[in-house]
Amino acid sequence: MSKPFQQLECWFVTGSQHLYGEETLRQVADHAQQIAAFLSSNEQIPVTIVYKPVVKTPEEIAALCTEANAAKNCIGLLTWMHTFSPAKMWIQGLKILQKPLLHLHTQFNREIPWNEIDMDFMNLNQSAHGDREFGFIMSRMRLERKVVTGFWQDEPVLMQLDSWIRAAAGWHDWQGAKFVRFGDNMRYVAVTEGDKVEAEMKFGYSVNTHGVGDLVKVVQAVDTGEIDLLCKQYAEEYELSAAVRNDASLREAARIEIGMRRFLQAGNYKGFTTNFEDLHGLHQLPGLASQRLMNDGYGFGAEGDWKTAALVRLMKTMATGLKGGNSFMEDYTYHFAKAPAQSLVLGAHMLEICPSIANAKPRCEVHPLGIGGKADPARLVFNAGSGEALNATIIDMGGRLRLLVNTVKAVAPEHDLPKLPVARVLWEPYPEISTACTAWILAGGAHHTCFSQNITVEHLEDLSLIAGLEMVVIDQDTKLRSFRNELRWNDCAYR
Ligand code: MN
């Protein structure tokens, strides 16, 4: 069975102690192996689960944590105390552990065997109190973690594990990741700025700038044969009119795509930003190129927005193998209906929306850009699919970064929008437009987001626990007065 993250592992770690004697410890190991094997072979679990020998002493625990830190493909630990594992034994290990940890509060036996239960059974099946001892030390040490409670074969447990493992895989992808900015920030824009040093210390990825001239050099070196081939590919993948097919702008877009891809591959970059104010030597704003590179998994942010580029990459990675897509997005314009419940946000950008969210074959078109004073850029035009979705953004509050999420319901457009030459999404934000947008603005939420059809609040919450990142959610339950208080209290909590 092929897993979405075939190369990655989570280690299944069971704690105990020597007090119980050989026979009980042998049973503990046997049961732990069964659980690890079940999880590893379950198709809901997106990584390989590796059984680790039961740890029984402070030395064994510290050695295991050291080993996990150094293991390249280990993205996290799933921990479980089948029996009682006195938790002072865990302090040294937990102090040095640098990999994400999930506490699986489960029990080998689903039910109490009413007629057979005796003290031997009680001695072995003690996670009800063994896991409490372990939970205490993690809380005492102020360590964030996800706790999942329930029988290990049950669907809700598997789904919670899947969510956290996806977050851990996204986190793993960020460690050492490189993002490149072509040019700097759009002049005077505030929210796309931020502390790149702090972000690298906190999130593990680095962001560095190249003057657009460095990219132009690579773009200019692209040869005609390559451009021919890529234009042929465009014609296969998209609706393309004869006029567009013969438009020199399309060939220029292909040249830019090839050059950008080459630049990103050579530098081992996982994402990039562009800036329409800084295109010296590029004939058009990279629209089609940004859309297609995003579709291939690169993170993207416009106007120098590196935080969103990294977030788009993260969410695409977390969503590996799931139906639906993730795209760079901007809240563009509103539809205030007389009935507030029917009010809508139209999300779009100048060009750069990812076709992974398209509901049909995109049209490839060439139109003038009303801003920036460059040649007419090629772009993909489409509607996004309808259904439950969310918008997420990361902003720099000064002293800390904040992840802000709003759940939305994407709706199919009732009208054709024949003159709108960009890809677009319509959505109703939860709980409704007035509360949602007021809350977003109070929280300092950016106009740039990652729009996702397959990442949930739980995925992002799991990520926030791993990253030690403030997370604020606007959803069906949001009430403005308590939301305002949450922001105030968080200012104290994260001081
Ligand atoms: Mn923008």
Side-chain angles (χ1 to χ4, degrees):
M1 183 182 53
S2 168
K3 302 255 183 197
F5 305 102
Q6 189 62 32
Q7 307 306 319
L8 302 182
E9 302 171 349
C10 281
W11 290 3
F12 192 82
V13 177
T14 311
S16 190
Q17 60 178 329
H18 279 297
L19 190 74
Y20 298 104
E22 287 287 301
E23 175 53 20
T24 303
L25 284 175
R26 196 195 53 72
Q27 278 177 293
V28 168
D30 176 50
H31 291 169
Q33 269 167 297
Q34 286 185 49
I35 296 177
F38 171 84
L39 295 176
S40 201
S41 65
N42 191 283
E43 60 182 20
Q44 178 87 55
I45 302 298
V47 290
T48 302
I49 304 295
V50 176
Y51 165 80
K52 286 284 159 183
V54 177
V55 285
K56 304 167 294 290
T57 64
E59 292 75 18
E60 286 173 5
I61 293 165
L64 179 110
C65 293
T66 305
E67 189 191 345
N69 287 344
K72 242 179 104 188
N73 293 335
C74 171
I75 62 168
L77 305 186
L78 308 180
T79 54
W80 172 55
M81 308 300 129
H82 190 357
T83 51
F84 196 83
S85 181
K88 285 203 282 183
M89 298 199 312
W90 284 84
I91 293 173
Q92 286 309 316
L94 292 175
K95 258 172 72 178
I96 57 171
L97 182 66
Q98 289 156 11
K99 294 287 170 85
L101 183 148
L102 177 144
H103 183 183
L104 177 58
H105 182 39
T106 190
Q107 180 171 284
F108 183 71
N109 250 64
R110 181 192 285 276
E111 294 167 340
I112 292 175
W114 302 107
N115 289 321
E116 273 79 46
I117 187 167
D118 57 11
M119 279 321 285
D120 284 346
F121 180 94
M122 300 273 277
N123 224 8
L124 183 60
N125 294 281
Q126 301 193 336
S127 54
H129 66 279
D131 273 331
R132 281 172 160 76
E133 168 77 357
F134 182 64
F136 165 74
I137 200 65
M138 290 209 70
S139 292
R140 173 68 176 77
M141 292 173 77
R142 311 296 196 271
L143 296 174
E144 290 283 17
R145 75 286 191 189
K146 185 177 197 177
V147 181
V148 176
T149 299
F151 187 58
W152 46 283
Q153 294 178 14
D154 286 351
E155 191 62 22
V157 167
L158 297 173
M159 285 171 67
Q160 289 177 73
L161 293 180
D162 174 44
S163 169
W164 182 84
I165 290 168
R166 287 179 175 281
W171 177 252
H172 180 76
D173 180 70
W174 258 6
Q175 306 314 302
K178 291 161 64 185
F179 293 88
V180 60
R181 302 172 84 212
F182 295 120
D184 198 83
N185 205 55
M186 180 178 164
R187 284 187 279 277
Y188 300 109
V189 175
V191 79
T192 49
E193 295 279 7
D195 187 340
K196 296 191 278 292
V197 176
E198 178 68 22
E200 184 164 351
M201 283 161 44
K202 192 141 188 103
F203 296 145
Y205 64 73
S206 68
V207 181
N208 287 290
T209 298
H210 271 270
V212 74
D214 291 347
L215 172 62
V216 168
K217 226 186 294 170
V218 184
V219 169
Q220 280 171 348
V222 172
D223 74 54
T224 325
E226 293 177 283
I227 296 173
D228 292 341
L229 275 178
L230 187 54
C231 285
K232 221 178 268 174
Q233 202 178 324
Y234 291 163
E236 282 161 23
E237 289 183 38
Y238 311 119
E239 307 281 352
L240 206 57
S241 71
V244 171
R245 205 175 298 226
N246 297 316
D247 194 320
S249 293
L250 188 69
R251 294 186 63 78
E252 191 54 36
R255 175 190 292 282
I256 292 172
E257 178 185 336
I258 296 164
M260 277 186 122
R261 196 179 290 276
R262 194 157 289 159
F263 192 101
L264 294 171
Q265 282 167 350
N268 201 19
Y269 293 111
K270 291 180 172 175
F272 63 102
T273 67
T274 57
N275 181 354
F276 69 91
E277 286 176 336
D278 187 358
L279 294 175
H280 306 284
L282 284 184
H283 295 297
Q284 50 178 276
L285 176 65
L288 187 54
S290 300
Q291 292 180 294
R292 286 173 49 84
L293 287 163
M294 244 191 291
N295 198 45
D296 291 339
Y298 286 99
F300 171 78
E303 291 108 32
D305 189 349
W306 54 274
K307 295 191 296 302
T308 305
L311 183 63
V312 169
R313 166 68 184 194
L314 175 90
M315 289 168 70
K316 282 179 174 289
T317 304
M318 284 163 65
T320 301
L322 298 179
K323 241 183 104 211
N326 291 272
S327 177
F328 174 72
M329 189 57 66
E330 181 167 288
D331 296 79
Y332 224 106
T333 199
Y334 288 140
H335 177 71
F336 282 126
K338 290 242 168 64
Q342 287 153 24
S343 290
L344 296 167
V345 180
L346 189 152
H349 204 253
M350 288 156 75
L351 305 169
E352 311 92 332
I353 300 298
C354 179
S356 65
I357 63 169
N359 69 345
K361 197 175 188 177
R363 295 189 308 279
C364 184
E365 301 180 2
V366 174
H367 300 279
L369 198 63
I371 191 168
K374 282 277 170 175
D376 301 353
R379 79 289 304 277
L380 299 173
V381 182
F382 54 84
N383 290 319
S386 55
E388 298 299 319
L390 59 74
N391 284 308
T393 192
I394 291 179
I395 48 177
D396 189 332
M397 295 300 293
R400 74 173 185 280
L401 294 140
R402 166 182 286 167
L403 171 63
L404 176 62
V405 181
N406 185 197
T407 55
V408 305
K409 184 168 146 195
V411 296
E414 285 177 29
H415 306 278
D416 276 347
L417 311 156
K419 291 188 175 167
L420 187 66
V422 290
R424 74 299 295 244
V425 195
L426 284 166
W427 66 76
E428 298 165 1
Y430 289 111
E432 32 63 42
I433 199 164
S434 137
T435 305
C437 297
T438 298
W440 187 272
I441 283 169
L442 286 172
H447 54 285
H448 287 168
T449 59
C450 180
F451 172 86
S452 180
Q453 296 170 325
N454 49 24
I455 291 298
T456 64
V457 171
E458 185 178 0
H459 289 120
L460 292 172
E461 187 171 15
D462 291 347
L463 187 275
S464 78
L465 293 175
I466 291 170
L469 173 66
E470 179 194 7
M471 180 184 182
V472 181
V473 179
I474 303 162
D475 63 8
Q476 263 148 325
D477 299 329
T478 296
K479 296 269 187 295
L480 280 177
R481 191 171 303 126
S482 45
F483 187 83
R484 225 183 244 279
N485 277 331
E486 183 180 347
L487 297 178
R488 290 182 181 122
W489 294 330
N490 282 4
D491 264 336
C492 299
Y494 287 87
R495 182 141 298 167

